[in-house]
Amino acid sequence: MAAEPAPPEGSKPLSGLLSGIAQATYYGAAGITEELLRGQLYPEAAPEEFRALLAKLTAALKSVASADMDLNQLEAFLTAQTKKQGGITAEQAAVIAKFWKSHRTKIRESLINQSRWDNTLRNVNWRVDLKSQSRHVDQINNPVAIVEMELGKNGKVRLQVPKTPLTLKFQ
């Protein structure tokens, strides 16, 4: 396995990399790419070395964030990761711990906002369709109500209500 790129100025590039990962993963910054991070933080690193470091730190940060680890859980997790073959180094663990302590609340709020159902009804379309052709005569002229609702930021929901006596009540 390739050696990891050595941080040229201590932990600043590593902290910047974690910040970039958080921006891209949790805060919705679309302009943060692997190439940008490598060019800004580890320009002398080979692409495959940087990709391995990025994957390792992304996985560690996602694990910490998805479990919303407190300081004791974080310490135990990072200790286990440093002892694992191919895991993170002690310096990386220290930087992750410092980063998580200062960004935990913001990342948690972002995760909650991303997973929250937006209960806003933005649009409703409906229609009643009648089948005009079919192999079986009993399927002709059977009404089907189709209702499409656009709910907040999560997209569309489409309901199809088949046959049975169709009763629409308007109030």
Side-chain angles (χ1 to χ4, degrees):
M1 185 171 158
E4 291 178 8
E9 300 174 50
S11 63
K12 283 188 179 185
L14 205 53
S15 183
L17 183 56
L18 286 170
S19 192
I21 292 168
Q23 288 291 325
T25 306
Y26 302 110
Y27 308 141
I32 309 247
T33 64
E34 179 181 325
E35 293 79 25
L36 175 73
L37 292 172
R38 187 172 77 80
Q40 294 288 318
L41 301 168
Y42 293 93
E44 72 287 340
E48 62 276 356
E49 291 174 352
F50 180 76
R51 197 168 293 120
L53 177 64
L54 181 65
K56 192 183 304 185
L57 292 178
T58 300
L61 188 58
K62 282 186 177 184
S63 294
V64 170
S66 66
D68 191 26
M69 293 184 186
D70 63 24
L71 297 180
N72 292 331
Q73 292 170 322
L74 179 66
E75 184 179 335
F77 173 76
L78 292 175
T79 300
Q81 291 299 308
T82 57
K83 292 180 180 178
K84 186 170 87 171
Q85 184 174 356
I88 60 176
T89 65
E91 180 190 40
Q92 291 169 344
V95 173
I96 291 170
K98 183 178 179 184
F99 179 83
W100 181 245
K101 287 174 189 173
S102 62
H103 289 86
R104 178 182 182 189
T105 304
K106 192 173 178 184
I107 290 175
R108 184 174 184 277
E109 287 173 5
S110 174
L111 284 172
I112 289 171
N113 288 335
Q114 288 174 16
S115 64
R116 184 180 297 149
W117 182 62
D118 187 0
N119 61 353
T120 304
L121 180 62
R122 300 208 189 267
N123 191 16
V124 175
N125 293 317
W126 67 274
R127 69 178 189 262
V128 176
D129 288 349
L130 292 174
K131 214 173 205 185
S132 63
Q133 289 184 344
S134 179
R135 288 183 181 203
H136 306 289
V137 175
D138 61 334
Q139 292 180 351
I140 296 176
N141 291 331
N142 285 334
V144 175
I146 298 174
V147 180
E148 292 181 345
M149 296 179 283
E150 188 176 348
L151 304 173
K153 65 181 178 195
N154 295 332
K156 291 186 177 184
V157 175
R158 182 179 177 158
L159 304 172
Q160 237 177 294
V161 183
K163 197 179 175 183
T164 62
L166 184 62
T167 307
L168 299 174
K169 288 187 176 182
F170 295 96
Q171 295 178 344

